[in-house]
Amino acid sequence: MNLTLKVWRQPSGEARGRLVSYAAQGISADMSFLEMLDVVNEGLIEKGEEPIAFDHDCREGICGSCGVMINGMAHGPMAGTATCQLHMRSFQDGDTIVVEPWRARAFPVLRDLVVDRSPLDRIMQAGGFVSIATGNAPDAHAILVPKEAAELAMDAAQCIGCGACVAACPNASAMLFTAAKVSHLGLLPQGQPERDRRALGMVTQMDLEGFGGCTNYGECTTACPKGISLENIARMNRDFRTAALRARPESAGAGGAP
Amino acid sequence: MSTPLGFAQSTVGRKVIMALTGLLLVGFVMGHMAGNLLVFNGPEAINGWGALLKRSALVLWTVRITLLVAVGLHIWAALTLTRLNQASRPVDYARRVPQASTLAARLMRIGGVLLLAFIVFHLLHLTTGTIHPGYEFSHTDVYGNVVSSFQVPWVALFYIVAMVALLGHLTHGIWSFFQTMGWSHPRLDTIRRTIATVIALMVSLGFIAIPAAILGGVLR
Amino acid sequence: MELKANIPAGDLADMWERHKFDMKLVSPANKRKHTVLIVGSGLAGGAAAATLGELGYNVHCFCYQDSPRRAHSIAAQGGINAAKNYPNDGDSVWRLFYDTVKGGDFRAREANVYRLAQVSVNIIDQCVAQGVPFAREYGGLLANRSFGGAQVSRTFYARGQTGQQLLLGAYSALERQVAAGTVDMHPRTEMLDLIVIDGQARGIVTRDMVTGAIETWFGDAVVLGTGGYGNVFYLSTNAKGCNVTATYRAYKRGAAFANPCFTQIHPTCIPVAGEHQSKLTLMSESLRNDGRVWVPKRQGDTRAPGDIPEAERDYYLERKYPSFGNLSPRDIASRAAKEACDDGRGVGPGGRGVYLDFADAIKRLGEDTIRERYGNLFEMYERITDENPYRVPMRIYPAVHYTMGGLWVDYNLMGTIPGLFVIGEANFSDHGANRLGASALMQGLADGYFVLPATIGNYLGGRKFAAVDASHAEARAAVAQVKDRVARLLAVQGTRTVDSFHRELGKLLWEHCGMARNADGLRTALQRIPELRAEFWRDVKVLGTGEELNQSLEKAGRVADYMEFAELMCRDALERNESCGGHFRTEYQTPEGEAKRDDEHYAYVAAWEYAGDGVPPILRKEPLEYEHVKLATRSYK
């Protein structure tokens, strides 16, 4: 099939960007979206034009590197699918496809479709862990975890950190990402000792990074390639609220490791 | 974070403030609506209710101030969060297609502004009587004020439009309340929307019934 | 160069314990004075960085991805082995050790493998304490499954995303140390060279992938956890960015490269759809628990699978290996698929595919049970192929998946350059000529959490390190070489894209050094690779500059290294005149077509020493002695 792409091109973070049209010809329905971009890039290089930069790595929907806004939808039209797993059979011959980077104040564009998602790492640094050092952990069977809790925790832990929730949210909020980690550890016995600290620390860092707030639109969960549910956000809200009420003055401003 | 101020600075904290003040206001509008329906029982009933509410100045002003503070906090939270949310995406998409958000959710802000304008008008209109197009305002004859004011079509229509906005605001607002307070569970989730929609419909239809009845000539 | 394996003397069972006691320690106060550079943030690198940070070392960790959480360990699906024997089905450290040595076709070092099996137990404890959401039974205990044909259930798993969950565990420990200030994380930073000063690995040269800045970093030890080199084949299940550059650059600086020809081909991947194919997707091996593999009996049979009657199907794994059947080990299942396709009986576009059929399982267990077991895999398959595997058999084909070869290391995981440690898939140490399922995660974490943090102290303790910085002659030379290479790549301004060269190299290798090799083919490849390399340097087209985010330039540098490394692989494959594990030389097979090992002549690790450009590398041999596991022919019949 033949398509028209309108791709955001921006040579660097400081430079101005714009949408540029490209013809994508002879595209097979069996190609993934990124393979289609590969083909376009090969053509561009042969013509002496610089290829479109985009983040990608595993191309099997798990590393979370890829992710672009496709026709106004984060990761494109197919539910539960990262950009690398989206195939061109989701499009029709003659379609025009608008391709844009994730947009958020916290995710500055580095080049073309590549953005800086390091705020997500910093949110993790503010409490997305269990503080145990390597070695001499108790026997794995010493900690009983109800199957249901393990399954719920896994539902949340599946987050691939791609940032689609931020991209799709009208407020560019990182609530779903943050909530997924707060939930994952908050649901397990291992996460209990630091549960308050974690919720306070991670939410505070999320705010500091300049993400928006949650207005319960639900766009995030729809865009999420792993279908992380809004229930996680509710859980984080509750954890944050109870933690804030319980917190004693000396433990103000949680986060960070010892 | 251990101080109320710190809590209020966080996005989640401000949402909780919005949710709790919202809950108070939902309670108020439900009571207000129920009281209003007394208008269908004739002038004595509604005028008596009006007089009862004003019997103790202390109670009246406590309620009024509480409501004002609640509205103030609700608006403050909404305003600051909206500003933050708008700033969080300085460069917008050329194209963004909403996938999940309901109309009610997307009209929350504009609906809120409309409701604020309505509240101001409503207070000047039926509380202080500053605005009284085409009739004389009386501080004791609630029935008279209501009937004669809603006989003016644009006033009635404005009230109806505002109550449709309230319908939308409450549908998303009450559902959001559960979410913000963290009350989510697969069994609760299926009825959260129903609860929100039923309350919103009850309140708004109850309010709308009065101008509609007056416009339609049922009450006169 | 001398290959000193440094295996401690004494009994296997308490060797590691005793060694830990014998090794030197670094006092808490001195730890922060030692800087350790760790390249790679996957299970091995990430776990090592976190652990060394916790211990108090001053750690710098580098990864090419935008976040350490994206390392390709994340894609491992099946599980992680550990000799916990929770199911009480007869497992033990000894059995895991035995299975791994045998599975590796007797080309791994006994002492290392035994330690791996011992440490496996601690890994599970560690990960559970971190909050890794492993699958559980209703009673709250951990669930186990049998994996990859193992006769005991020793595999721990988190749905089909075990690698992801283990990596996120290591990543969370790493981020905790970043917050604590013990680890400096450098994402989007690619190592382009190793700096060796006075015979010791003391630093690395990196390129900032956003600004293009070439920088130097110094420390008292360098740890490479940079993964495998499967992408040399262009098409593999590796992530697109996986590359050999770090280990190959270390090789050129004097680190011996061991067994580069040992590559693992995974039997159950989704077949190539067309020329545009950029990578291959693995379907978990667990599918073979219920799926039956077959091809039509007749050559060139183009009927739809449903129209081929039972009598005209060849369930070749069940036929050839009646006792293991569809669960035969990876190398065997892969080769059998290739043979069927070479015989003209392959299915799907291009005839490079075999059926993995669930019809019988669905009839026996019901569609719901199959959906419960494999639902997400079936969905993934349908997303990619647009075919519904509940109705039509899956089409699968083998693909390059893992590389057992890697930089040579001793028992302490140190390479032939003092101060250069190599962990995880990047080293050669534990899997011999074939890796068993669910063992890669185990090795990565064993190295990162438990082995390296102990052995690196032995190296650092009691050694004096002269202060070095960018002004040192060796550092300046390394930087100059890196800059020169970048400039040369940009200066070619030829006509062909980097990918087109990479694709051509991959095809050549797959053809001659893939699932089955022979001397003629390898000689052809050894002749063709230098020609292709020359063409690459004459005709590659890399646009843009070095001082910006330039993905073509990144790829070009990696492909340039593959162009050299491919030759080393073929040379190693040609030199090893036997068949073992993933290395199948068609000249060396039994009359029934099984691998024929030659223990008399080839029971050694082939470690290659770089001898200069244009000069053949020198082969060094580390003999392998089997005192505890009796050399035997692997048989899965």
Side-chain angles (χ1 to χ4, degrees), chain C residues 379-392:
Chain C
E379 263 171 47
M380 182 161 94
Y381 180 83
E382 187 169 359
R383 210 173 288 147
I384 293 173
T385 63
D386 205 23
E387 287 175 1
N388 177 353
Y390 294 101
R391 303 278 156 269
V392 218

Side-chain angles (χ1 to χ4, degrees), chain A residues 167-199:
Chain A
C169 176
N171 310 328
S173 168
M175 287 284 276
L176 193 65
F177 168 83
T178 311
K181 187 48 71 178
V182 168
S183 263
H184 157 212
L185 294 173
L187 282 160
L188 295 172
Q190 300 93 306
Q192 296 316 307
E194 291 169 287
R195 188 167 170 179
D196 285 3
R197 220 172 123 76
R198 179 178 309 116

Side-chain angles (χ1 to χ4, degrees), chain A residues 84-183:
Chain A
C84 61
Q85 296 271 283
L86 175 70
H87 280 68
M88 295 312 289
R89 62 182 77 94
S90 296
F91 300 90
Q92 308 272 316
D93 187 34
D95 276 1
T96 296
I97 307 175
V98 181
V99 189
E100 296 177 83
W102 291 163
R103 295 250 184 242
R105 179 172 59 169
F107 288 173
V109 172
L110 297 175
R111 176 170 198 156
D112 299 342
L113 305 173
V114 178
V115 300
D116 176 7
R117 285 171 291 195
S118 56
L120 301 184
D121 287 329
R122 289 193 289 274
I123 292 175
M124 290 290 287
Q125 286 158 24
F129 46 75
V130 174
S131 294
I132 56 132
T134 305
N136 298 316
D139 185 89
H141 267 184
I143 306 165
L144 292 182
V145 181
K147 186 178 168 70
E148 198 181 31
E151 295 293 328
L152 276 178
M154 183 64 199
D155 286 343
Q158 289 190 75
C159 167
I160 58 174
C162 62
C165 46
V166 176
C169 176
N171 310 328
S173 168
M175 287 284 276
L176 193 65
F177 168 83
T178 311
K181 187 48 71 178
V182 168
S183 263

Side-chain angles (χ1 to χ4, degrees), chain C residues 44 189 268 278 339 384 386 413 456:
Chain C
T189 306
T268 53
S278 63
E339 277 163 21
I384 293 173
D386 205 23
L413 303 182
I456 204 168

Side-chain angles (χ1 to χ4, degrees), chain C residues 434-456:
Chain C
N434 176 54
R435 179 176 65 75
L436 291 179
S439 287
L441 304 183
M442 172 172 69
Q443 187 221 338
L445 289 181
D447 289 359
Y449 281 136
F450 297 105
V451 181
L452 175 89
T455 58
I456 204 168

Side-chain angles (χ1 to χ4, degrees), chain A residues 11 28 30-32 35 38-39 41-42 44-60 62-65 78-81 85 87 89 110-111 114-118 120-122 124-126 128-141 143-147 150-155 157-162 177 181 184-185 188 190 226 256-258, chain C residues 47 50-51 54 64-72 74-75 77 84 86 124-126 128-142 158-159 161 164-165 168 171-173 175-180 187-188 210 237-242 273 276-282 380 382-386 449-450 495 497-500 503 541 543-545 548-552 555:
Chain A
S28 146
D30 288 328
M31 286 180 189
S32 71
E35 284 169 345
D38 288 342
V39 169
N41 274 345
E42 292 279 290
L44 285 178
I45 296 171
E46 277 160 16
K47 276 196 292 183
E49 288 180 46
E50 287 194 39
I52 303 158
F54 59 93
D55 264 329
H56 65 104
D57 205 20
C58 79
R59 297 207 178 189
E60 47 187 280
I62 193 76
C63 75
S65 296
M78 197 171 193
T81 307
Q85 296 271 283
H87 280 68
R89 62 182 77 94
L110 297 175
R111 176 170 198 156
V114 178
V115 300
D116 176 7
R117 285 171 291 195
S118 56
L120 301 184
D121 287 329
R122 289 193 289 274
M124 290 290 287
Q125 286 158 24
F129 46 75
V130 174
S131 294
I132 56 132
T134 305
N136 298 316
D139 185 89
H141 267 184
I143 306 165
L144 292 182
V145 181
K147 186 178 168 70
E151 295 293 328
L152 276 178
M154 183 64 199
D155 286 343
Q158 289 190 75
C159 167
I160 58 174
C162 62
F177 168 83
K181 187 48 71 178
H184 157 212
L185 294 173
L188 295 172
Q190 300 93 306
K226 293 291 161 190
Chain C
T51 305
E54 287 159 7
Y64 72 78
Q65 297 90 345
D66 71 327
S67 161
R69 69 178 290 151
R70 309 205 196 282
H72 197 55
I74 204 156
Q77 299 171 353
K84 279 284 197 186
Y86 283 153
I124 301 302
D125 298 343
Q126 179 64 26
V128 165
Q130 282 172 348
V132 170
F134 282 120
R136 299 268 167 176
E137 304 290 356
Y138 279 105
L141 297 178
L142 290 153
R159 294 198 191 144
Q161 289 129 280
Q164 181 200 25
Q165 293 310 312
L168 293 182
Y171 161 74
S172 67
E175 291 299 344
R176 177 171 159 255
Q177 292 311 308
V178 173
R188 290 196 198 272
V210 177
T237 66
N238 283 3
K240 291 294 282 177
C242 294
H276 59 264
Q277 193 88 27
S278 63
K279 81 150 267 158
L280 295 168
T281 302
L282 181 117
M380 182 161 94
E382 187 169 359
R383 210 173 288 147
I384 293 173
T385 63
D386 205 23
Y449 281 136
F450 297 105
T495 61
T497 63
V498 176
D499 278 351
S500 80
R503 226 177 266 128
K541 187 170 188 176
L543 299 169
T545 69
E548 60 183 338
L549 196 161
N550 187 339
Q551 294 177 324
S552 303
K555 279 196 276 194

Side-chain angles (χ1 to χ4, degrees), chain C residues 493-609:
Chain C
Q493 292 296 331
T495 61
R496 284 181 63 184
T497 63
V498 176
D499 278 351
S500 80
F501 278 108
H502 194 177
R503 226 177 266 128
E504 188 175 342
L505 176 70
K507 274 189 189 149
L508 185 70
L509 270 190
W510 180 244
E511 191 61 34
H512 298 299
C513 197
M515 258 184 288
R517 301 108 186 236
N518 60 51
D520 283 349
L522 289 166
R523 284 198 194 96
T524 310
L526 281 171
Q527 188 199 341
R528 188 68 194 101
I529 294 165
E531 292 167 10
L532 188 62
R533 187 166 61 228
E535 199 186 330
F536 174 85
W537 282 105
R538 203 170 51 238
D539 199 22
V540 74
K541 187 170 188 176
V542 184
L543 299 169
T545 69
E547 289 81 39
E548 60 183 338
L549 196 161
N550 187 339
Q551 294 177 324
S552 303
L553 179 64
E554 293 160 17
K555 279 196 276 194
R558 296 167 193 165
V559 173
D561 285 331
Y562 284 139
M563 289 280 177
E564 297 180 22
F565 177 73
E567 212 178 319
L568 187 66
M569 261 176 92
C570 292
R571 197 178 290 279
D572 186 45
L574 182 61
E575 186 275 339
R576 190 170 280 279
N577 292 309
E578 64 162 352
S579 293
C580 60
H583 171 66
F584 189 79
R585 283 278 299 268
T586 54
E587 308 97 307
Y588 307 100
Q589 51 181 315
T590 65
E592 303 90 61
E594 301 303 326
K596 212 161 101 187
R597 232 175 43 224
D598 179 355
D599 293 328
E600 197 185 325
H601 300 103
Y602 291 94
Y604 61 74
V605 176
W608 297 89
E609 183 186 344

